[in-house]
Amino acid sequence: NGTLLGIESGDQNTHVFTWLSTYPLAYYLLSFAVADYRDLSFKAGLSGEGDSVLVQNYIYNSDQVLADWEEEIRETGSMITSFSSLLMDYPFSREKYGHAMAPMGGGMEHQTMTTIQSFSFSLVAHELAHQWFGDYITCGNWQDIWINEGFASYLEYIAAQELLGQEAADHWMDNAMGIAMRSTEGSVFVPVDEVGDTYRLFDFSLSYKKGAILLHMIRFILDNDSLFFSVLRQYLDAYGDGLATGEYFMSVLEEESQMDFSCFFKQWYYGEGFPTFALYWEQQGDSLKLQSEQSSSAPAATPLFQVPFELEIRYIDGTSSRVRLAQTSQSDSFSIPVDGWVSDLTFDPDRHLLAVSSVMELPSDSSKLIGSSPIRIGPNPFSDHLHIQVPNGLPFKEIRITNLAGKEVHRERDLDNPLTLNLGTLSDGPYVLELSSPQGSYQERLLKISEN
């Protein structure tokens, strides 16, 4: 740890290395390693122009090791710069950051000198992130190990966003959610009677992956990246060089955001499991009627998760819109104004929530059937365009439109399914649609109304 002050010759062909650490140091972050090392050092920029920190890496003295890992090791510099800009400057910049290779599993975030086996992107990002979350701020007790591992894990996602792109970050999050959902029960907060179980403390699904996703969901709820990173900076400023718990972080979050997160922490941090959403929708004119049913993977412990969620609404003309809704009970109904004919919905399109979902369209009227297949016709009244769809995908043989006197005003044959008719040339007024398909025929009244 710290800075190498000097190397002196000792007796019997030995050397004495003198190191000094001037920052407060958590007792379990001391590091001591001996090997035939090669020093690979370089500088990394901080948030200010011209400011930098030494990145000192002790790798095995092997040309092959250098060839295998040099590019990944140098990526550490970009991560330091990125984290310094988003959070605060690397907390131990007067000394250094670096890595010492050792034959171990993964890595350990010893202050200023991570002990590490290899240099994969996520592992390097995770251990570096611990210098802020785990080293500069240390969990106040083992029950709040989230303060260390959940935060460091989420910085893996942020590093991917900043340096590899959103697609790589999305891949990381999809994998994290899959791992988190392996634990259908159990809380991120470690119950006091489980603190003595090391495997429970460092549960990969709960402390690491679900812990990271909690921060991802908080970021989504805030819906403001500037505010989210301001919360992290204020938290670091308030508890740096000291200890913190989940409650301490919540107090900073609430103070900065002026929002109440007590319910969120009760359900997601102290609670267990995750929700399943079953959404049923139908379009009624210019309104989308939605019923959202929620169940829990741990109903005895946490029967309800009161969370906002996002819907992407796609229209038949290829456009889309998004809306945020809030689930406050196990069964909620919503009416959403829409401008166009809806083709389908996607729940949580950007994967912000730890949740399972299904989305199902309900036929607007159970009597609207061709054979045994429900039919969608709309909007009705229409202005210029009319959309017709039967889920079976079979083509339409003929479509005929007449006025109420029986005079034919429009006819088309051998049409795709679904289809959109351009009826802008028709005069305003009532009409009758006659539709025939391989499964049978159907008739419905229409009303044409020009747009204002």
Side-chain angles (χ1 to χ4, degrees):
N1 307 94
T3 302
L4 179 61
L5 297 184
I7 306 172
E8 299 177 354
S9 297
D11 296 336
Q12 300 178 352
N13 198 30
T14 60
H15 293 85
V16 177
F17 292 73
T18 301
W19 294 82
L20 174 67
S21 183
T22 59
Y23 290 97
L25 181 66
Y27 63 88
Y28 70 95
L29 294 173
L30 290 162
S31 175
F32 180 84
V34 177
D36 186 11
Y37 283 125
R38 178 182 301 186
D39 185 342
L40 172 63
S41 293
F42 52 88
K43 292 290 187 73
L46 299 176
S47 63
E49 186 175 351
D51 293 337
S52 64
V53 62
L54 174 68
V55 184
Q56 187 172 36
N57 302 278
Y58 288 97
I59 63 173
Y60 300 142
N61 190 18
S62 159
D63 291 340
Q64 188 61 53
V65 170
L66 180 64
D68 287 345
W69 293 114
E70 182 175 6
E71 182 178 348
E72 288 80 0
I73 293 170
R74 291 189 181 277
E75 188 81 79
T76 311
S78 300
M79 294 180 189
I80 289 174
T81 304
S82 180
F83 290 171
S84 293
S85 298
L86 291 171
L87 303 170
M88 55 169 281
D89 277 337
Y90 172 69
F92 313 109
S93 57
R94 293 198 309 270
E95 296 179 356
K96 69 169 190 310
Y97 182 64
H99 303 96
M101 294 188 75
M104 59 180 294
M108 176 60 201
E109 65 274 14
H110 297 117
Q111 188 166 307
T112 73
M113 180 57 72
T114 286
T115 309
I116 203 164
Q117 180 185 35
S118 59
F119 297 91
S120 68
F121 183 91
S122 287
L123 178 60
V124 171
H126 183 98
E127 304 306 337
L128 170 62
H130 269 312
Q131 301 300 306
W132 285 263
F133 302 107
D135 294 18
Y136 186 56
I137 294 179
T138 304
C139 60
N141 56 67
W142 291 117
Q143 291 180 274
D144 289 290
I145 189 64
W146 174 63
I147 290 296
N148 292 20
E149 300 302 346
F151 281 65
S153 295
Y154 191 54
L155 266 291
E156 296 177 43
Y157 172 85
I158 290 174
Q161 266 192 316
E162 294 292 312
L163 302 177
L164 302 180
Q166 190 59 48
E167 184 176 349
D170 290 342
H171 178 74
W172 187 95
M173 187 57 64
D174 286 343
N175 181 66
M177 289 194 176
I179 294 171
M181 286 181 182
R182 294 174 188 170
S183 294
T184 57
E185 298 179 340
S187 59
V188 175
F189 180 76
V190 182
V192 66
D193 59 351
E194 298 180 17
V195 166
D197 183 350
T198 304
Y199 293 101
R200 173 62 182 89
L201 283 179
F202 298 97
D203 186 296
F204 199 53
S205 294
L206 296 173
S207 297
Y208 289 74
K209 299 305 184 183
K210 188 177 179 181
I213 296 166
L214 261 59
L215 288 167
H216 193 54
M217 291 192 290
I218 289 170
R219 187 177 178 183
F220 169 68
I221 292 168
L222 294 176
D223 196 25
N224 183 325
D225 268 7
S226 295
L227 176 58
F228 174 74
F229 286 107
S230 176
V231 168
L232 297 186
R233 287 191 293 271
Q234 290 300 318
Y235 168 61
L236 288 162
D237 183 64
Y239 296 103
D241 286 331
L243 307 177
T245 66
E247 293 287 336
Y248 293 178
F249 176 73
M250 186 180 77
S251 68
V252 173
L253 173 62
E254 291 185 328
E255 182 176 351
E256 282 296 300
S257 67
Q258 294 299 297
M259 297 170 64
D260 183 357
F261 277 86
S262 58
C263 182
F264 178 90
F265 272 73
K266 178 181 178 181
Q267 293 171 353
W268 286 103
Y269 187 53
Y270 299 107
E272 301 184 23
F274 51 86
T276 293
F277 289 82
L279 277 69
Y280 305 92
W281 67 275
E282 61 176 334
Q283 184 168 359
Q284 296 178 4
D286 60 359
S287 293
L288 183 69
K289 303 298 183 181
L290 182 73
Q291 185 72 24
S292 178
E293 309 285 346
Q294 190 193 116
S295 58
S296 171
S297 69
T302 311
L304 174 67
F305 293 86
Q306 295 172 278
V307 292
F309 62 86
E310 193 169 59
L311 281 182
E312 182 176 59
I313 305 170
R314 288 189 291 274
Y315 300 92
I316 60 171
D317 62 2
T319 62
S320 64
S321 62
R322 293 196 178 187
V323 61
R324 282 196 178 209
L325 303 170
Q327 185 92 14
T328 58
S329 63
Q330 290 177 322
S331 180
D332 277 345
S333 298
F334 306 93
S335 181
I336 306 163
V338 290
D339 184 18
W341 195 245
V342 177
S343 60
D344 56 67
L345 307 179
T346 299
F347 175 86
D348 189 27
D350 294 330
R351 295 281 279 161
H352 289 115
L353 302 183
L354 184 65
V356 178
S357 67
S358 63
V359 180
M360 180 180 299
E361 179 190 357
L362 298 175
S364 298
D365 185 341
S366 60
S367 66
K368 290 184 179 181
L369 300 173
I370 293 184
S372 59
S373 299
I375 183 172
R376 295 188 73 208
I377 299 176
N380 191 12
F382 68 96
S383 56
D384 291 332
H385 296 90
L386 184 71
H387 179 69
I388 306 173
Q389 180 180 19
V390 177
N392 59 31
L394 295 175
F396 300 117
K397 292 194 296 185
E398 183 179 82
I399 287 178
R400 181 171 176 263
I401 298 176
T402 64
N403 60 24
L404 295 188
K407 181 181 177 181
E408 183 178 291
V409 296
H410 189 92
R411 180 195 291 263
E412 294 189 46
R413 299 179 187 275
D414 301 323
L415 301 164
D416 292 335
N417 174 19
L419 67 91
T420 300
L421 298 176
N422 187 345
L423 302 174
T425 59
L426 296 185
S427 301
D428 287 0
Y431 296 91
V432 176
L433 169 73
E434 297 177 3
L435 174 64
S436 62
S437 78
Q439 286 189 309
S441 60
Y442 176 79
Q443 195 174 80
E444 179 165 330
R445 276 195 160 193
L446 304 175
L447 180 61
K448 167 76 185 299
I449 300 177
S450 296
E451 292 182 344
N452 294 329

